[in-house]
Amino acid sequence: MSSQLISLVNTDRIIGKHVFGNLYDIDPKILNDKDFLHNLVLEAVKIANMKLVEIKSWNFGGKKGGVSVIALVEESHIALHTWTEYNYATLDVYTCGENSNPQAAFEYIVSQLKPKRYQMFYADRSSE
Amino acid sequence: MSSQLISLVNTDRIIGKHVFGNLYDIDPKILNDKDFLHNLVLEAVKIANMKLVEIKSWNFGGKKGGVSVIALVEESHIALHTWTEYNYATLDVYTCGENSNPQAAFEYIVSQLKPKRYQMFYADRSSE
């Protein structure tokens, strides 16, 4: 009986896991440190058990300025955006494959940014 | 009374709007056409009323291969990932600012990819 049940599950599909959230009340010095944030995402790629394709980071000036770091991993992404004057950041860790662990990567970045409050959500990005 | 109510709303904050979804049963020829998908995202940036910072696209081979296109816009992103053999794509349109329109961009890309079925979700990425 159990083998019949297992045979009904489609294992030949794309497994996509997307953990994302909003991080409030972060030390603004951290949020403007492009190198620190770049390396944070790089480390998170390893923790999520993903293969890095390319990573890039940008600095934005002005009142609503901050840093963006985007990593393309096979075949999904990690995106961190920060707004220094608002002590605010958003984080998306979207990974593919059974063995990927986006939540561990999300929690690692949170542990380093130390927001006073944050929200975390999950979206299933798998094919049928 | 109404002016008192309005004064309680914090207008000095980051407005973040994130529309995302999974697109099923797409013509695989389209899903492997990197130039077509690149231009699709480029057009979507305009439709969302966003300012493009950088756009890049990649081809992946193999059974789980396809195309990824990521556009960094000020200060958020559009990410399209496709899997040719699974007729599958995922789309994230994350924009900032009162005047941005991520849903119009999402619907534009859907209208061009013509999935037989799709899901669309919304997440608020605004600061407090």
Side-chain angles (χ1 to χ4, degrees):
Chain A
M1 181 61 180
S2 64
S3 65
Q4 281 183 307
L5 280 173
I6 288 167
S7 71
L8 293 173
V9 177
N10 177 15
T11 54
D12 182 21
R13 60 183 194 132
I14 300 300
I15 304 288
K17 309 170 189 172
H18 188 176
V19 176
F20 62 97
N22 304 333
L23 287 53
Y24 307 100
D25 259 334
I26 303 168
D27 179 349
K29 280 199 295 289
I30 289 179
L31 292 185
N32 212 28
D33 188 338
K34 193 176 84 160
D35 291 344
F36 171 77
L37 298 170
H38 185 101
N39 289 328
L40 202 58
V41 172
L42 209 52
E43 187 63 27
V45 169
K46 289 181 209 159
I47 290 169
N49 204 25
M50 295 305 295
K51 193 174 166 193
L52 181 71
V53 177
E54 193 166 335
I55 182 169
K56 193 154 183 185
S57 44
W58 299 260
N59 247 129
F60 296 93
K63 176 167 165 51
K64 296 199 171 174
V67 171
S68 285
V69 185
I70 297 182
L72 179 76
V73 292
E74 275 187 359
E75 182 179 3
S76 40
H77 63 267
I78 299 181
L80 174 64
H81 301 289
T82 76
W83 291 267
T84 310
E85 290 206 25
Y86 295 81
N87 307 335
Y88 181 58
T90 69
L91 175 60
D92 289 74
V93 184
Y94 172 12
T95 67
C96 283
E98 293 278 10
N99 298 323
S100 67
N101 192 343
Q103 190 167 341
F106 187 97
E107 286 170 356
Y108 169 73
I109 291 178
V110 166
S111 77
Q112 299 300 303
L113 293 183
K114 299 182 177 61
K116 287 196 184 137
R117 298 178 309 293
Y118 70 96
Q119 300 165 315
M120 185 172 72
F121 305 97
Y122 177 76
D124 185 2
R125 310 304 297 265
S126 302
S127 68
E128 287 167 327
Chain B
M1 180 61 180
S2 64
S3 66
Q4 281 183 306
L5 279 173
I6 288 166
S7 71
L8 293 173
V9 177
N10 177 15
T11 54
D12 182 20
R13 61 183 193 132
I14 300 301
I15 304 289
K17 309 171 189 172
H18 187 176
V19 176
F20 62 96
N22 304 333
L23 286 52
Y24 308 100
D25 260 333
I26 304 168
D27 179 349
K29 280 199 294 289
I30 289 179
L31 292 185
N32 212 29
D33 188 338
K34 194 176 83 159
D35 291 344
F36 171 77
L37 299 171
H38 185 100
N39 290 328
L40 202 57
V41 172
L42 209 52
E43 186 63 26
V45 169
K46 289 181 209 158
I47 289 169
N49 204 24
M50 296 304 295
K51 193 174 166 193
L52 181 70
V53 178
E54 193 166 335
I55 181 168
K56 193 155 183 185
S57 45
W58 299 260
N59 246 130
F60 296 93
K63 177 167 165 50
K64 296 199 171 175
V67 171
S68 285
V69 185
I70 297 182
L72 179 75
V73 292
E74 275 187 359
E75 182 179 6
S76 40
H77 63 267
I78 298 181
L80 175 64
H81 301 289
T82 77
W83 291 267
T84 310
E85 290 206 24
Y86 295 80
N87 307 335
Y88 181 58
T90 69
L91 175 60
D92 289 74
V93 184
Y94 172 12
T95 67
C96 283
E98 292 279 9
N99 298 324
S100 67
N101 191 343
Q103 190 167 340
F106 187 97
E107 286 170 356
Y108 169 72
I109 291 178
V110 166
S111 77
Q112 299 300 303
L113 292 183
K114 299 181 177 63
K116 287 196 184 136
R117 297 178 310 292
Y118 70 96
Q119 300 165 315
M120 185 172 72
F121 305 97
Y122 177 76
D124 185 2
R125 310 304 297 265
S126 302
S127 67
E128 287 168 326

